[in-house]
Amino acid sequence: VVLGLWLCLGCAWAAPLSPWCLSAQLRRPGDFVLGGLFPFGKDTLNLAARSEPTLLLCDRLFTDGLIWALAMRFAIEQINNSSWLLPGVTLGYDMCDTCFEPLVALQPSLLFLTRNGTRAIGVLCDYSEYQPRVTAVIGPHKSDQCLLTAKLFSSFLIPQVSYGASSEALSNTELYPSFYRTVPSDKNLVEAVVLLLNHFGWNWVATVASDDEYGRGAQALFLSMAGPNSICIAFEGLIPTELAEPDTTKQLENTIKLINSTKVNVIVLFAHSVPAQALLQHSLAMGLGKKVWLGSEAWLLSDIATSVPNIQSVGTVLGFVMRTGTVPGFQEFVAELFSSVAQEEFCRRSQELSGLEDAEVLDMHCRQCGNVTLGDIWPMLGVTPVQPVHVAVYSVAHALHRALGCTSKGCPKTPVRSWQLLHFMNTLPFEVNGQSFRFDQSHGTNTGYKLILWAWRDGTVTYLPVGDYDQSLYVRTSQIQFHTPDKKEPTSECFRRCQPGQFRRTKGFNLCCYDCTDCSENTFWSSTDSTSCSPCPQHQWAPTRSTRCHDRTERFLSWDEPLAMALLALVALTAALSCGAALLFLQHLQSPLVQLAGGARSLLALLWLLLQSLSCCLHVGRPSTVLCPLQQLCYALCLNGCLSSLLPKALEITLVTEFPRCAPRLLRWVTHGRAWLVVAVSILTQVLLCWCHLHLGPDYLVADYESLPREVLLVCGTQSWAAFALLHGYNSCLAFVCFLCTFMVQTPGRRYNVARGITFATFIYFIIWIFFLVIFATLRTVLRAVTQICTILATTLGILGSYFVPKCYILVFRPDLNTRDYCQNLSEEQPEEDRQ
């Protein structure tokens, strides 16, 4: 297996590589070839002109690429020397320089796609049997290069594993089905940054990004997550990546001025090392002031950014870097490799393996190979992350292991197409140096992040770990010393955080500036810094400035309420008066006064009044679907029984006084035994009306959630006012008939006027019902039941007081008036008058 590592000098210069004849080692044959894309140089690179011992800017870029290339070679040699991963199979490599340019990276990519053994790419309808020059590709490092090359390799379904591209756009497996990466995507990074901002309460920030795929993509993700997490963006801007452009300086200066005008204390910077270095340098030169800079691994670990003069004055630098492990034996491998390159035999054998015919085509010879020493590269070995490259190579090796069906004895010598590796890379985990890895659904490996702080000691920066992020954020705040005088975190707020139970009310045109307003009654604060309060469910309530809803309690006229107990005492008194009057009437049943009042029918009326007063108990306690219809029915039926008992006496009086000529013929229908028939017919009529009321629209249980703020009011509601009028209208008609029959009756002197009792009883009934209807129709509180009880009691007491109590007074205190002369029936006097 060959990992192809080619140096593609597509630029107008020769990229320097190493003193150990790396130009001859760029290609190494094998059973399978892996292509490698690494950033070895840039058009400004000129190591031959370097005079200072420290690495210059371009030296640093070159050194990173060289270390990654060495990491790939180290991994391949480990795999080739392994007796269990790919026994009997060798990996080779073709390594090429991308020159940090996407278009330059296309040249080696096209070379990798050529048919094995040729320099041509076949145009076929079916590529299932197509065997390209390389089996898989490692790299490139930058996202903008991967977005270009990933489309190319995905067309041929050649696995491409990047060790640095983090753009979220590459997570689209439909567009890039064969692209993988051994680093987390920018989405995970942005989530960590947002959690860090919320941790310190920073909600007024500026964000700056480099004008490339990485910067624009990360900034767009950050902007999309900032709003939902209550983070307001005071300024967003892009900084150029080409520093040689004429307008670069002016653009950087304008960015600093705009940031300064926002008065933010936190700047989120998504950029590579060179644009970040330029922004930091201009911020110091223009006196921006100390800020909190939040960054990513793209510039945090780069000595390019820390090489800015007086960089310690920039403020507090925090950021997230990938949590990567070490690669055991890599530094020893590099040291041994650099110590062996002086041997002419090594370089001669390397030239024999290089395939010079391809080198001539691509101009692979390095013309400046003698300027990099182990001393130049050694300081960066502990900073540049090499584990992603190591894991990338091993991911392909493990996929080959499974595709070939290797055992401990060896691997079958069977051809494996590139597209056949994708299944094994998608589904199975693999282990590297005791650590397990697996590509997720977006073909990435989320190993988490470390939160680091730039800590300065004697003018030297150290990267101090102060937290971790792996789905959740943990910050060791006590270890962070900010640039403020008290070493505490600065504030960066356009607004104050609303307290629990308050919502944000935007003022003006800036969505980030608002007032905190208390949640009103029956609403609650549902989420952090929400812009409105959520209404409570109907069965719950909430006080002002509440964070949750409470269950409503049921409200009705309960038995233990003082008002209910007072009404029940009045009910007992009314019932006692009815019973006392009934007993008294029963005791003097044959006396003239009782016979004048109706005799046994008076006892029936008192019995109905007793039942009517006791029906008040139906209105106390929790109402139900059974009790609600019974309340009106019992009242109407009991009142009808009383009025029906008085009706024969009223008819008797009006016949004698107003129709004397018809009286002898009609009196027998309203006196003696036939009077009971009138009572029975009247009660049966009311029973029929009660049945109609039940079918037309009986009262029903109503759960009222609006009348009371904290309780649910249980009352009996009127379903049909027509049915209500039909039920009680008949009683009103009876009362009106009794009133008409008695209110104009004149009684001779020294005679008891029984008509006046009926007149006043019906008159009181009408007055009570006028008030009752007005109040009953408008009340929707627990007082509705109180109103009905008071109406029943007032009606009962009115009839008792106007009709029965005066008679009881005569029976008890004036028995001398209970004589036949004083209490003579009008129907008995009339014949005597006629005889005269």
Side-chain angles (χ1 to χ4, degrees):
V1 179
V2 178
L3 268 180
L5 173 58
W6 279 56
L7 176 63
C8 303
L9 298 180
C11 308
W13 41 266
L17 292 179
S18 73
W20 39 271
C21 304
L22 183 58
S23 60
Q25 277 287 293
L26 293 177
R27 188 171 197 280
R28 175 173 176 171
D31 296 323
F32 293 93
V33 177
L34 300 186
L37 297 172
F38 298 97
F40 289 119
K42 201 173 179 67
D43 54 351
T44 57
L45 183 61
N46 188 0
L47 291 179
R50 185 190 59 181
S51 58
E52 299 179 3
T54 58
L55 291 176
L56 300 177
L57 170 62
C58 294
D59 295 344
R60 175 67 176 91
L61 298 174
F62 166 75
T63 304
D64 280 342
L66 182 58
I67 292 175
W68 290 327
L70 293 175
M72 178 174 174
R73 175 175 170 176
F74 174 66
I76 290 174
E77 291 194 5
Q78 273 191 329
I79 294 169
N80 289 337
N81 295 329
S82 171
S83 61
W84 63 272
L85 188 54
L86 292 174
V89 176
T90 59
L91 291 177
Y93 51 81
D94 278 352
M95 295 186 186
C96 295
D97 185 12
T98 63
C99 297
F100 291 94
E101 295 293 339
L103 291 178
V104 175
L106 276 180
Q107 185 178 5
S109 299
L110 291 172
L111 178 65
F112 292 158
L113 292 175
T114 59
R115 191 187 294 271
N116 192 20
T118 69
R119 297 179 189 145
I121 300 177
V123 181
L124 306 174
C125 293
D126 183 7
Y127 284 90
S128 59
E129 298 299 324
Y130 186 81
Q131 184 64 54
R133 180 186 183 96
V134 299
T135 303
V137 178
I138 307 300
H141 178 263
K142 295 182 68 176
S143 295
D144 52 354
Q145 297 171 353
C146 286
L147 284 171
L148 190 62
T149 59
K151 291 181 180 179
L152 192 62
F153 293 125
S154 292
S155 300
F156 290 81
L157 293 181
I158 296 177
Q160 177 186 1
V161 188
S162 174
Y163 50 88
S166 57
S167 172
E168 179 62 18
L170 291 166
S171 297
N172 190 336
T173 55
E174 293 183 359
L175 290 178
Y176 312 104
S178 66
F179 178 82
Y180 298 84
R181 54 183 162 201
T182 54
V183 294
S185 73
D186 288 336
K187 182 179 180 181
N188 299 307
L189 171 65
V190 170
E191 288 175 350
V193 171
V194 168
L195 288 177
L196 182 64
L197 292 173
N198 283 330
H199 175 80
F200 288 109
W202 295 327
N203 52 41
W204 184 242
V205 302
T207 173
V208 185
S210 56
D211 193 7
D212 54 19
E213 180 60 35
Y214 165 73
R216 291 190 300 268
Q219 187 182 69
L221 279 172
F222 176 70
L223 294 175
S224 66
M225 294 185 185
N229 287 276
S230 303
I231 298 172
C232 295
I233 307 300
F235 170 78
E236 57 178 285
L238 297 174
I239 51 178
T241 56
E242 296 295 334
L243 302 181
E245 295 292 332
D247 295 335
T248 297
T249 301
K250 184 178 180 180
Q251 188 173 348
L252 287 169
E253 290 176 353
N254 289 336
T255 299
I256 299 300
K257 290 179 182 178
L258 291 171
I259 293 176
N260 194 35
S261 65
T262 61
K263 302 186 184 305
V264 298
N265 288 325
V266 178
I267 302 171
V268 181
L269 178 58
F270 299 106
H272 288 289
S273 55
V274 177
Q277 182 252 6
L279 181 66
L280 293 172
Q281 186 174 357
H282 278 77
S283 66
L284 291 172
M286 297 178 64
L288 178 62
K290 294 185 177 182
K291 307 288 183 183
V292 176
W293 295 80
L294 299 183
S296 63
E297 188 171 1
W299 64 272
L300 277 176
L301 299 181
S302 172
D303 59 347
I304 296 175
T306 57
S307 64
V308 176
N310 197 30
I311 188 63
Q312 301 94 323
S313 302
V314 77
T316 303
V317 180
L318 281 168
F320 292 93
V321 299
M322 288 182 296
R323 189 189 294 127
T324 58
T326 59
V327 179
F330 177 64
Q331 293 186 358
E332 293 79 0
F333 167 78
V334 174
E336 181 182 354
L337 190 61
F338 269 80
S339 65
S340 64
V341 297
Q343 302 176 13
E344 292 184 4
E345 180 63 20
F346 175 84
C347 289
R348 185 186 63 79
R349 293 179 59 187
S350 298
Q351 288 285 350
E352 294 175 356
L353 296 173
S354 63
L356 292 180
E357 68 282 357
D358 288 335
E360 292 173 0
V361 172
L362 295 175
D363 191 17
M364 291 176 55
H365 293 87
C366 175
R367 298 182 178 89
Q368 296 174 338
C369 293
N371 298 296
V372 179
T373 65
L374 180 61
D376 293 328
I377 198 174
W378 188 260
M380 303 310 301
L381 287 177
V383 178
T384 303
V386 297
Q387 189 190 41
V389 180
H390 198 71
V391 173
V393 177
Y394 267 88
S395 67
V396 177
H398 279 275
L400 278 170
H401 174 88
R402 297 179 182 111
L404 290 170
C406 297
T407 64
S408 58
K409 297 180 180 180
C411 297
K413 295 289 185 178
T414 57
V416 174
R417 303 291 183 255
S418 298
W419 58 269
Q420 294 175 313
L421 300 181
L422 298 180
H423 169 73
F424 300 101
M425 296 186 72
N426 287 338
T427 56
L428 298 177
F430 57 95
E431 189 173 297
V432 181
N433 295 327
Q435 185 176 357
S436 180
F437 296 89
R438 184 172 191 160
F439 293 112
D440 55 27
Q441 293 182 347
S442 59
H443 292 180
T445 56
N446 185 11
T447 56
Y449 293 92
K450 291 188 299 183
L451 177 64
I452 65 168
L453 168 73
W454 277 11
W456 295 94
R457 295 171 184 168
D458 300 328
T460 303
V461 64
T462 57
Y463 306 112
L464 178 65
V466 292
D468 296 281
Y469 172 75
D470 188 3
Q471 307 301 324
S472 60
L473 178 66
Y474 172 70
V475 181
R476 293 183 285 273
T477 309
S478 60
Q479 297 184 7
I480 304 177
Q481 292 188 351
F482 290 91
H483 59 271
T484 54
D486 59 355
K487 305 301 180 182
K488 300 295 184 182
E489 67 268 14
T491 59
S492 186
E493 297 179 326
C494 168
F495 55 87
R496 65 183 178 90
R497 295 279 180 177
C498 291
Q499 297 299 316
Q502 295 180 323
F503 70 96
R504 299 181 300 173
R505 176 167 292 173
T506 303
K507 55 182 180 180
F509 297 99
N510 194 334
L511 297 179
C512 291
C513 296
Y514 54 79
D515 292 324
C516 292
T517 306
D518 293 345
C519 291
S520 60
E521 196 172 35
N522 287 333
T523 62
F524 70 102
W525 176 72
S526 57
S527 61
T528 304
D529 291 329
S530 58
T531 55
S532 63
C533 295
S534 301
C536 290
Q538 192 179 45
H539 65 282
Q540 292 183 324
W541 71 279
T544 302
R545 195 172 174 176
S546 178
T547 58
R548 66 185 184 93
C549 293
H550 309 274
D551 290 333
R552 289 176 180 262
T553 56
E554 293 181 343
R555 182 72 173 96
F556 49 84
L557 186 62
S558 59
W559 293 92
D560 55 352
E561 288 188 45
L563 180 59
M565 298 175 73
L567 291 173
L568 290 175
L570 190 58
V571 168
L573 176 62
T574 305
L577 288 176
S578 301
C579 290
L583 292 175
L584 193 59
F585 269 54
L586 180 61
Q587 184 180 359
H588 300 85
L589 183 60
Q590 300 301 325
S591 65
L593 182 60
V594 175
Q595 289 298 317
L596 178 65
R601 294 194 303 275
S602 298
L603 291 177
L604 179 63
L606 287 170
L607 177 61
W608 284 114
L609 290 179
L610 173 63
L611 294 177
Q612 181 173 289
S613 62
L614 294 178
S615 71
C616 293
C617 297
L618 297 176
H619 299 271
V620 184
R622 189 184 189 280
S624 65
T625 54
V626 176
L627 286 178
C628 285
L630 288 179
Q631 291 176 356
Q632 298 298 330
L633 295 180
C634 289
Y635 175 44
L637 192 59
C638 292
L639 181 61
N640 178 265
C642 178
L643 294 176
S644 299
S645 300
L646 298 179
L647 179 63
K649 178 56 67 176
L651 293 175
E652 177 187 351
I653 293 172
T654 193
L655 285 174
V656 172
T657 58
E658 300 298 330
F659 305 100
R661 297 182 182 278
C662 302
R665 186 175 67 254
L666 298 177
L667 279 176
R668 63 178 180 270
W669 293 100
V670 294
T671 57
H672 305 296
R674 294 185 180 182
W676 289 99
L677 181 61
V678 174
V679 174
V681 171
S682 178
I683 294 176
L684 287 175
T685 303
Q686 183 64 46
V687 170
L688 180 62
L689 293 175
C690 289
W691 181 85
C692 294
H693 178 266
L694 288 175
H695 285 78
L696 291 177
D699 288 5
Y700 65 101
L701 179 63
V702 177
D704 184 3
Y705 294 95
E706 298 178 359
S707 299
L708 301 177
R710 303 182 180 184
E711 299 164 312
V712 51
L713 178 63
L714 299 181
V715 294
C716 293
T718 302
Q719 182 175 349
S720 172
W721 285 103
F724 181 87
L726 183 65
L727 179 67
H728 294 283
Y730 179 64
N731 285 336
S732 299
C733 292
L734 286 182
F736 187 65
V737 169
C738 293
F739 180 79
L740 288 179
C741 291
T742 58
F743 85 103
M744 291 293 291
V745 173
Q746 296 294 328
T747 303
R750 296 187 304 274
R751 293 287 190 273
Y752 182 78
N753 192 345
V754 69
R756 288 291 173 265
I758 299 176
T759 302
F760 281 110
T762 54
F763 182 70
I764 291 173
Y765 165 79
F766 284 122
I767 293 176
I768 292 172
W769 261 83
I770 290 173
F771 285 101
F772 166 72
L773 288 176
V774 174
I775 298 174
F776 184 76
T778 56
L779 278 179
R780 287 301 298 269
T781 66
V782 73
L783 294 178
R784 192 174 194 187
V786 176
T787 302
Q788 294 190 73
I789 294 175
C790 292
T791 301
I792 295 173
L793 292 178
T795 304
T796 305
L797 291 173
I799 296 175
L800 283 173
S802 59
Y803 189 77
F804 291 102
V805 171
K807 297 173 178 58
C808 292
Y809 175 80
I810 293 175
L811 292 174
V812 176
F813 298 103
R814 297 294 302 274
D816 56 301
L817 296 179
N818 190 7
T819 62
R820 188 174 183 83
D821 292 335
Y822 186 73
C823 302
Q824 187 177 10
N825 283 320
L826 294 177
S827 60
E828 296 176 355
E829 291 181 355
Q830 190 63 34
E832 296 179 0
E833 294 178 0
D834 291 340
R835 284 194 300 270
Q836 293 177 358

